[in-house]
Amino acid sequence: MKSDRAKRALDVVIAGVGSALSAPLVALVALAIRAESPGSPIYRQTRVGKDGATFEIYKLRTMMHGAEFTGAGLAIQRGDTRITRVGHVLRRLSLDELPNLWNVLHGEMSIVGPRPTIPVQVAQYTERQRGRLAVKPGITGWAQVNGRAALPWPERIELDLWYVEHQSLALDLKILSMTTRAVLTGQGLYKGKQGGWHPPSAT
């Protein structure tokens, strides 16, 4: 479709320019991460993309190496002691997601779309909620600029589904403009008591 080609063209331009301009910053931050704690400065994790296809997402590591296997696991709250000093800065400014641009260039992600989730979360989707997999996941999205991690999980998915049903180049540009405000204010960075996804209870 013509709109799909336009969206991909926008993705390639933004991701290409963004990757080139941010490369020196990413290199410096990687050195700072490695100096503060052992382990690779680039964090890789399996995520679910369009039509349920899995891929490895790239991020700058903001927590101690192996943090997902300790403490609260995948649940990250404000003041989490597993977050490094460098990590706090990266999360506050959303700089940890700069390597997501590589995923966009690879064609696994888009600049705008629902944030990619992990397989265990997708396994709990209802048939309706699986509709968010109809488009490529994004670095930013409608749910991201309307509360992101602070939102209750079902509400966040509903916002993503609304995006899937109403997606357009004009809406993408609106989301990009709103993303700047979200990054500057730091609103919704952490899930709080009611927000985010909660792992199923062991039975």
Side-chain angles (χ1 to χ4, degrees):
M1 292 176 61
K2 187 174 181 180
S3 59
D4 291 336
R5 291 196 296 270
K7 183 178 178 70
R8 179 57 184 163
L10 182 64
D11 284 344
V12 171
V13 170
I14 294 177
V17 173
S19 294
L21 293 179
S22 65
L25 175 60
V26 170
L28 287 174
V29 171
L31 290 174
I33 293 171
R34 190 66 182 82
E36 184 178 8
S37 63
S40 172
I42 301 297
Y43 176 69
R44 296 173 174 83
Q45 186 183 56
T46 299
R47 299 288 179 100
V48 181
K50 187 176 185 295
D51 298 326
T54 57
F55 67 97
E56 270 201 335
I57 196 172
Y58 300 102
K59 300 182 71 176
L60 287 165
R61 180 166 57 83
T62 61
M63 306 180 78
M64 304 300 293
H65 182 65
E68 65 268 37
F69 305 112
T70 63
L74 296 172
I76 304 172
Q77 302 280 8
R78 185 182 299 276
D80 196 314
T81 57
R82 297 172 299 166
I83 302 175
T84 63
R85 291 190 299 273
V86 173
H88 277 294
V89 176
L90 295 178
R91 282 177 173 272
R92 173 62 184 80
L93 300 175
S94 296
L95 295 177
D96 58 313
E97 294 174 0
L98 281 175
N100 286 182
L101 293 170
W102 308 342
N103 291 111
V104 175
L105 289 175
H106 292 166
E108 300 152 335
M109 292 178 62
S110 179
I111 296 296
V112 179
R115 282 298 294 173
T117 49
I118 58 178
V120 68
Q121 293 171 322
V122 174
Q124 296 176 55
Y125 284 176
T126 64
E127 190 61 34
R128 169 176 166 74
Q129 290 173 336
R130 289 189 66 84
R132 79 191 297 273
L133 303 178
V135 299
K136 286 183 182 179
I139 296 178
T140 185
W142 191 237
Q144 292 296 101
V145 298
N146 283 285
R148 46 181 169 178
L151 295 171
W153 187 245
E155 183 177 336
R156 187 172 170 181
I157 292 181
E158 283 301 317
L159 287 169
D160 287 332
L161 290 172
W162 184 91
Y163 170 79
V164 171
E165 295 166 359
H166 297 85
Q167 61 177 316
S168 67
L169 192 58
L171 179 58
D172 283 1
L173 293 174
K174 178 179 179 179
I175 291 171
L176 286 174
S177 68
M178 293 173 69
T179 297
T180 301
R181 183 184 65 189
V183 170
L184 290 176
T185 62
Q187 183 179 6
L189 273 177
Y190 299 98
K191 71 174 194 172
K193 293 182 179 179
Q194 301 300 322
W197 172 76
H198 297 273
S201 301
T203 56

